[in-house]
Amino acid sequence: MNNRSLIAALNFEPQATPPIWLMRQAGRYLPEYQQVRKNFTNFLDMIKRPEICAELALQPINRFDLDASILFSDILTIPSAMGLGLEFGEGHGPIFSNPISSIKDIENLPKSVPHEELRYVYEAVVATKKVLPNQLPLIGFCGSPWTLAAYSIEGKGSKDFIKTKDFLKKNSAAVSTLLEILTQACYEYLKEQIKCGVQAVQIFDSWADILSVEDFEEFSLKPTNQLITLLREDVTTSATPIILFEKAPPREISTNDLKGVTCLSLHWTQDLIKANSAFKGSHVLQGNLNPAILKSDEEEIEKAVNAILEEMSGYPGFIFNLGHGITPDIEPNKVQLMIDLIRNN
Ligand code: CP3
């Protein structure tokens, strides 16, 4: 193995060259992904094929020699397995044909976690472990309970999440019940991924930014912390590093907010200098190059990469990543340039 180790970083070890991986590293910006993707009309059919998931997870590793792989799947598998009717159509994001529109819909959700419906995810973990280069860590993941709840209520991606905000205002007790159901599901889902061999897990709170400060506390941080407590108190999962991505949280996160989290994955709007002093010794940090920078010229990219490397040099546990997922309009050669800059620094 090389001397850039994700696991060492997650154990708070400073490294001369930080390990690198990218949020959404397997996906539409890669021509080799498009080659496989064109064989499937529906994205969901594709992620239900474990050997295809393994092949796709391996693509960015083969191309860039990254220091970690992430399971190829999606955060919406849980609400899909609960019967909300997930569709990934052409030209638009995921849509639920059967979203949560009433308290009754929440009462009617399955009473236990639908593991049979999620088996394809666990099989994808096993298949991916088989093809990954020796010792390269595999990261499992899920959406945060809040992000899954917001998606389940809104039924689709949205700029303003009006339906979700309205539902939350009118039915906050029922939303808390929904969050409890999703927290239990996320816990069991991650536990199963860990049992199948993932060495770290990342929780994506991709819709933290739509909440007010108070609602963020109650509906995002609280259930996420419950999920983390469940993982920490279970002997099967207690030692697995947990990475948490909060997208542009409505207030600054402090060390006391998320005690059981190993690593904070910083959104590109979060200040690295502040994070460096706030979290040194308590949390590993991951991030946080604005993915949009990868659309600019070499000079801009170099400036932005160097600023991060300088700030985080010697930090006990730093992982280089983007400050959100890579987008389809980014050229792979810009990613290669970024990686070369980090490794030749
Ligand atoms: O390398 C990887 O990270 C691949 C695995 C992965 C996917 N989605 C595959 C995917 C992961 C970790 C995700 C997480 C995910 N999914 C998040 C959290 C991360 C974030 O960006 O905040 C969210 C919010 C989703 C929900 C989702 N899935 C959306 C909004 C979309 C459509 C638009 C988009 O962002 O790509 C998807 C579909 C999806 N999931 C694709 C991929 C590669 C594209 C589907 C296609 O090829 O048609």
Side-chain angles (χ1 to χ4, degrees), residues 21-30 33-34 37-38 40-44 46-47 56-57 60 69-76 86 88-94 139-144 147-148 151 156-157 202-207 245 247 267 324-328:
W21 72 278
L22 312 173
M23 275 192 265
R24 312 290 295 266
Q25 63 192 21
R28 286 165 296 176
Y29 75 108
L30 292 178
Y33 173 86
Q34 300 285 8
R37 179 71 179 87
K38 71 175 199 273
F40 297 86
T41 321
N42 192 334
F43 178 74
L44 199 51
M46 185 168 81
I47 62 172
L56 293 174
S69 58
I70 180 159
L71 172 68
F72 194 87
S73 196
D74 199 80
I75 63 164
L76 300 177
L86 179 61
F88 286 91
E90 281 297 322
H92 55 74
I139 302 167
F141 70 92
C142 70
S144 73
T147 292
L148 297 184
Y151 221 108
K156 56 184 169 34
Q202 175 148 335
I203 302 166
F204 288 93
D205 196 8
S206 300
W207 284 310
F245 172 71
K247 181 184 165 205
H267 187 248
H324 200 183
I326 193 162
T327 48

Side-chain angles (χ1 to χ4, degrees), residues 29 63-64 294 330-338 340:
Y29 75 108
R63 186 189 267 265
F64 302 119
L294 293 177
I330 288 169
E331 289 166 25
N333 64 353
K334 294 290 179 71
V335 175
Q336 187 62 63
L337 169 73
M338 177 195 81
D340 292 344

